[in-house]
Amino acid sequence: MNLNHDRVRYTLLPLVSLTGILLLWEICGRLGLLNPLFFPVPSLIAVAFLTMVADGEIQANLSITLLRVFAGFLIGTIPGIIIGLLMGASEKIRLLLDPLVAATYPIPKLAIFPLLMIIFGIGEFSKIIAIAIGCFFLVLINAMAGVRNINKVYFDVAKNYGASKKQLFTRVILPASLPMIFTGIRLALGTSLIVVVGVEFVSANYGIGALIWNAWETFEIEKLYVGIFLCAILGILFTVVLKRVEERITPWFGHLAHQDRE
Amino acid sequence: MELECRHITKIFGEGSRATRAVADINFKTNEGEFLCILGPSGCGKSTLLKIIAGLLEPTDGEVIYTGNTPAGPLNSMVFQEHSVFPWMNVIDNVAFGLEMRGVSRKERYERSLEFLKRVGLAQHAMRNPHELSVGMRQRIAIARAFVNNPEILLMDEPFGSLDAQTRLILQDELLKIWIDHKKTVIFVTHDIDEAILLGDRVLVMTSVPGRIREVMTVGIDRPRDLRIESTREFIDMRMKIWNIIRIEVERSMTEDNREPES
């Protein structure tokens, strides 16, 4: 097999490191080099996982977490894109809103979660809003930067060829800033995972965060690892799916961004 | 339709930082003329063209169009490079001006396809610009301007970034299209040979602030191609222009050298 072949290289080499580390972990565990209280071997974690699937525990926790993430993501991202684009396109709106964004953006989203629970109650809504706020700022800031980084010549072309304000927006500003909007969405999905686990630690009976927290309280170490692995898999899944969508919608950017992503 | 520049002056910046880009430019185009504006780099010739295009406001003076009220746009510009939208396929790029004016999809595609055939890109109509070479992209930009059917075509060093061979081919193609359509063209370049090969008249500009130093009529018969470059008239004219330009380039270089000391 020729390792220089692109497809082999891109699919095989990442798998080698992943399975390699799991294998090493398993061997070291079985040889007694790792304390099983902290580092149970992967095969035991897998067994725990399968049992949890059979009990429906995984499905129940995973579905509620995904629901929170997607609801929060949508509620935060859509206004984030719209306001970000407007702030990028109009200096007036930017000057008006920039201080607000600058003052509220650095606050850790988890820090305001208790406040959200007071306002929205301890049900689903406060959790979804916390995730939405986390997504909102990241998408907003990137959409704004996306508009401001558009090559000036595109605006000249639009003006010279008689584009109206609406046409300028739909045919130039929006498509030209899509790559940066996608960067914002990628960051937002990552953040939404952090926030969802955080809020589930504090106030949830179900969800991956709750699963990890309960496992810690009952000292079920394998379950704890299952929760962590689930987070990792979700993170990878989000990235892969998003990359596919991105290459579909902005193929002209995909080949430019290739170098810094590989 | 004719275009007249009266006392065009452009000053960038204010106070002690103010620099004059162009100063007191006066000229008038003739119907159907190919007018080249030639000058050393940084002489403000692109600034002048942007003022003519309406993309920049002159600090002083005015641009006047005289003649019958046109059905189409007054002017359409071919920009230096990277002005083709990467998020639109080839035919949508060419049809951009028509789209902005509300021409139906069917009609604008028909008219655009005609020009794509003229520049040899018909078979690439549905592809994305990033899949094509720089020369092909500049053909798209030229087709985009011609399809728009303006009274006056403005070209801002459209072949400046092309390799020597591609440049020769595109100059040839441009002359052929121009002879068929007899549009007034204002063509900005820093290439002496290009100016003589293409132009009916050549306006030679001084270095910054750009003024018109000399207006020359090119008396060489059309149709022209590369072969004219070995004629006596061509060589004489090139020497004459070079003698003017050389003084201007040297003047701007010594000024550049002096600047760090002051």
Side-chain angles (χ1 to χ4, degrees), chain B residues 209-223:
Chain B
R211 298 169 190 274
I212 294 176
R213 174 66 208 279
E214 192 109 22
V215 181
M216 293 182 171
T217 304
V218 184
I220 304 171
D221 288 341
R222 294 187 189 271

Side-chain angles (χ1 to χ4, degrees), chain A residues 150-164 167-168 170-173 175-177 251-253 255, chain B residues 50 53-55 75-79 81-88 92 96-97 99-100 128 130 141 144-145 148:
Chain A
I150 297 173
N151 190 338
K152 222 193 139 279
V153 75
Y154 296 144
F155 288 99
D156 282 347
V157 174
K159 193 177 173 197
N160 188 238
Y161 285 78
S164 65
Q167 287 168 325
L168 175 71
T170 56
R171 297 298 272 154
V172 178
I173 292 178
S177 49
W252 43 276
F253 188 77
H255 81 128
Chain B
K50 279 193 178 150
L55 295 172
N75 66 70
S76 296
M77 185 133 155
V78 180
F79 293 84
E81 52 178 326
H82 305 309
S83 75
V84 166
F85 299 130
W87 54 86
M88 289 182 195
D92 278 333
F96 184 69
E99 185 189 339
M100 295 302 105
N128 282 334
H130 78 260
R144 175 169 70 186
N148 213 24

Side-chain angles (χ1 to χ4, degrees), chain A residues 212-230:
Chain A
I212 294 172
W213 197 259
N214 291 336
W216 130 255
E217 285 186 326
T218 54
F219 212 78
E220 292 171 281
I221 195 79
E222 286 91 1
K223 273 193 178 180
L224 207 152
Y225 273 97
V226 169
I228 294 171
F229 277 122
L230 278 178

Side-chain angles (χ1 to χ4, degrees), chain A residues 15-126:
Chain A
L15 282 178
V16 166
S17 65
L18 275 178
T19 45
I21 204 104
L22 286 175
L23 211 65
L24 192 71
W25 181 353
E26 183 81 32
I27 293 167
C28 290
R30 298 218 172 227
L31 290 175
L33 297 173
L34 293 172
N35 185 342
L37 277 182
F38 308 140
F39 304 107
V41 289
S43 56
L44 277 181
I45 298 170
V47 169
F49 174 76
L50 292 173
T51 323
M52 288 164 82
V53 172
D55 295 347
E57 207 179 338
I58 295 283
Q59 294 87 321
N61 287 301
L62 193 60
S63 56
I64 189 73
T65 293
L66 284 176
L67 197 77
R68 286 169 186 147
V69 166
F70 288 132
F73 175 77
L74 284 179
I75 294 172
T77 301
I78 292 167
I81 291 174
I82 294 168
I83 297 172
L85 288 174
L86 288 174
M87 283 175 75
S90 152
E91 197 188 13
K92 252 185 231 159
I93 298 178
R94 184 165 63 248
L95 290 174
L96 195 70
L97 297 183
D98 218 18
L100 278 180
V101 173
T104 47
Y105 170 59
I107 302 171
K109 302 318 157 239
L110 286 172
I112 53 170
F113 183 57
L115 179 65
L116 292 176
M117 286 195 291
I118 293 175
I119 300 172
F120 298 108
I122 53 167
E124 288 308 311
F125 203 55
S126 56

Side-chain angles (χ1 to χ4, degrees), chain B residues 190-201:
Chain B
H190 62 262
D191 182 330
I192 299 174
D193 291 3
E194 184 168 74
I196 305 172
L197 175 68
L198 299 176
D200 291 315
R201 283 191 300 162

